[in-house]
Amino acid sequence: MAPYQLFTAFPQLISRICHGNPDVFQQLKEIIARLYVQFPQQAMWMMMAVSKSSYQTRVQRCREIFATAKNFSQIALPLQSVMNVTLPNTQGPHPDHNAFPANPVYIQGLEDTIEILPSLQKPKKITFNGSDGRLYVMMCKPKTVIPLNEECGIIEWVNNTHGLRNILMKLYRERGPVMTGMQLKNIAPPLEASIDEKLRIYKEKLLPRHPSVFKEWFLRTYNARLSYARTLAVMSMVGYILGLGDRHGENILFDSTCGDCVHVDFNCLFNKGETFEWPERGPLGYEGIFRRACEVTLRVMRTQMDPLMSILKPFVYDPLVEWSKPVKGQRKPETGDSSKAQKSNTTETGEINNEKAMTHVQNIEDRLKGILKSKGSRPRSVPLSIEGHVNYLIQ
């Protein structure tokens, strides 16, 4: 296989860097080293988190691979245009194919001013000086797109986007004074209040001060309802399959050039949102374009289930660090217990095999097949059709 073909599976390959079979690891090491030599700028960023792993076996094996490549003085910015593999448009062998046709922009420096955003994780908005003379905005936060270690990473800033909350608050301010956070907190019903009481407060106190105004943004900016409905449907279906939560007004953005719905912050995955005190639900118009786009999206994901699952399998062998952390309320391992806790989660070679990750990946596969499960993890019915599955989710 050509190096660019293997590089499309590079994240899956490095997730198995601690494979228990020596012969398999030797082959794996040679493949990864070959790709690292061929595509050093892209591979370096993708192996960054492995080189800083909390598991020493992973660190050592990563260093062995780094030692096979020559050092390079310039480091390319991890822009999407530079990191994504471009495949040939025609069938057949393409030995001279250029998998990364975009000219890389190298890091020349960093602006002194750093903006700290007000959200929960306090992400830092930083600006790089590119070798082409332009400025490139990135965001550093304890979530990984281009991972820097196991717990934090760097994310390319999405230009020309505005958060849903920012759009709505601007429209509400034009109508008069807006409710403060303290005012909202004071009228919020207690968690144990009845549904009727919550509905009464919603209708009598919240709705009069917060009418539907989002349509005004579309009317003022452009007529992009079709683009909005389609991208919203795609993210709704993808989010359901992956169990994506924490979808509040600052994590849902809209492209001011075309109306596309752009989601950010994918930390709350694998149905973690179901553990929140308040359910994440809201009213939505769904007939017409939205329903059809949902069906098309779900159909594509079902037909491409094998490639999708191959992307998710690394979570089994290289799971999220937070899965190995004690649950809130449980005691942390003592110093003498830490090695035991780590060993119980790894094989003798250092490869991780996380049962929680296996459960989450299996649940995603079941959702792709249209299998609905009860809280006891038992199937509630036979697998649903595409249309039936979408209708169930909408209802």
Side-chain angles (χ1 to χ4, degrees):
M1 294 180 70
Y4 69 84
Q5 292 174 305
L6 285 169
F7 199 77
T8 60
F10 196 71
Q12 290 94 313
L13 293 173
I14 59 177
S15 75
R16 303 305 303 274
I17 200 171
C18 287
H19 198 287
N21 186 298
D23 294 331
V24 173
F25 169 69
Q26 188 58 37
Q27 293 292 330
L28 189 63
K29 176 183 173 182
E30 292 177 7
I31 292 173
I32 296 175
R34 175 188 173 199
L35 296 176
Y36 184 70
V37 172
Q38 187 77 21
F39 310 113
Q41 294 290 353
Q42 290 78 17
M44 181 274 297
W45 281 109
M46 299 175 77
M47 293 182 67
M48 180 78 73
V50 183
S51 70
K52 298 180 180 295
S53 174
S54 57
Y55 297 94
Q56 289 304 309
T57 307
R58 299 178 67 80
V59 174
Q60 181 57 39
R61 293 195 171 185
C62 186
R63 287 175 179 170
E64 293 176 21
I65 294 170
F66 279 153
T68 64
K70 296 180 180 179
N71 294 327
F72 45 92
S73 57
Q74 291 185 306
I75 299 176
L77 277 165
L79 305 174
Q80 184 178 12
S81 59
V82 176
M83 299 296 295
N84 285 355
V85 179
T86 301
L87 298 177
N89 294 324
T90 57
Q91 294 182 351
H94 298 270
D96 300 324
H97 173 68
N98 182 7
F100 299 99
N103 292 326
V105 178
Y106 298 103
I107 298 174
Q108 294 291 91
L110 187 67
E111 291 289 288
D112 292 335
T113 302
I114 296 176
E115 180 183 351
I116 300 177
L117 302 182
S119 59
L120 179 64
Q121 300 290 344
K122 296 292 187 290
K124 283 73 179 174
K125 189 176 176 182
I126 62 177
T127 305
F128 283 103
N129 303 111
S131 57
D132 58 354
R134 297 173 58 189
L135 298 178
Y136 292 87
V137 181
M138 297 275 181
M139 184 163 58
C140 289
K141 62 188 306 184
K143 298 173 181 66
T144 57
V145 173
I146 299 295
L148 301 178
N149 58 30
E150 289 176 338
E151 294 186 313
C152 69
I154 188 169
I155 306 169
E156 183 177 356
W157 191 263
V158 183
N159 292 320
N160 303 314
T161 55
H162 301 278
L164 175 60
R165 183 177 183 275
N166 182 53
I167 294 171
L168 296 180
M169 292 304 292
K170 184 177 180 180
L171 292 171
Y172 285 137
R173 288 191 188 100
E174 294 176 0
R175 292 169 170 255
V178 298
M179 296 184 72
T180 65
M182 184 58 67
Q183 288 175 320
L184 289 169
K185 187 175 181 180
N186 289 337
I187 67 171
L191 188 62
E192 62 275 7
S194 66
I195 294 295
D196 290 338
E197 175 62 13
K198 292 175 182 176
L199 187 61
R200 184 189 67 79
I201 292 175
Y202 175 71
K203 287 182 175 180
E204 295 180 4
K205 296 186 178 181
L206 290 176
L207 272 186
R209 298 288 297 272
H210 303 88
S212 177
V213 295
F214 190 40
K215 60 185 177 183
E216 295 181 18
W217 187 69
F218 282 91
L219 295 174
R220 295 180 187 185
T221 313
Y222 38 66
N223 187 9
R225 289 177 297 173
L226 184 63
S227 178
Y228 162 70
R230 285 175 172 170
T231 52
L232 182 66
V234 169
M235 281 309 304
S236 296
M237 291 299 101
V238 173
Y240 161 70
I241 293 297
L242 297 179
L244 177 62
D246 197 27
R247 297 300 88 199
H248 55 74
E250 292 175 335
N251 285 343
I252 302 175
L253 313 181
F254 293 93
D255 192 325
S256 60
T257 62
C258 61
D260 282 354
C261 178
V262 181
H263 283 243
V264 297
D265 196 344
F266 301 111
N267 182 51
C268 187
L269 285 170
F270 308 115
N271 293 82
K272 185 178 177 181
E274 292 181 352
T275 64
F276 294 170
E277 287 186 315
W278 297 90
E280 295 184 324
R281 294 177 180 173
L284 179 70
Y286 51 83
E287 292 302 345
I289 293 171
F290 180 79
R291 181 186 287 270
R292 290 289 300 132
C294 285
E295 292 172 354
V296 170
T297 303
L298 193 56
R299 183 171 288 107
V300 169
M301 287 193 288
R302 276 201 192 179
T303 57
Q304 299 297 321
M305 185 166 66
D306 289 341
L308 280 173
M309 294 309 301
S310 73
I311 294 172
L312 292 168
K313 288 295 173 67
F315 280 106
V316 175
Y317 305 104
D318 187 11
L320 299 175
V321 171
E322 65 181 59
W323 288 350
S324 61
K325 293 179 179 177
V327 178
K328 186 176 181 180
Q330 294 181 354
R331 78 173 181 92
K332 295 182 179 179
E334 301 293 338
T335 304
D337 297 337
S338 59
S339 60
K340 295 179 182 179
Q342 178 168 315
K343 189 171 182 180
S344 67
N345 196 37
T346 62
T347 65
E348 292 181 358
T349 63
E351 178 161 277
I352 308 165
N353 198 328
N354 189 287
E355 292 184 4
K356 186 182 292 186
M358 294 176 70
T359 301
H360 286 309
V361 171
Q362 183 59 53
N363 288 339
I364 289 175
E365 186 171 351
D366 289 339
R367 287 196 288 271
L368 281 169
K369 293 177 179 178
I371 298 174
L372 303 178
K373 288 186 175 181
S374 61
K375 288 187 177 181
S377 297
R378 292 185 177 182
R380 293 168 54 182
S381 65
V382 296
L384 299 174
S385 66
I386 296 291
E387 293 76 11
H389 202 171
V390 169
N391 188 65
Y392 166 81
L393 294 174
I394 289 176
Q395 296 300 326

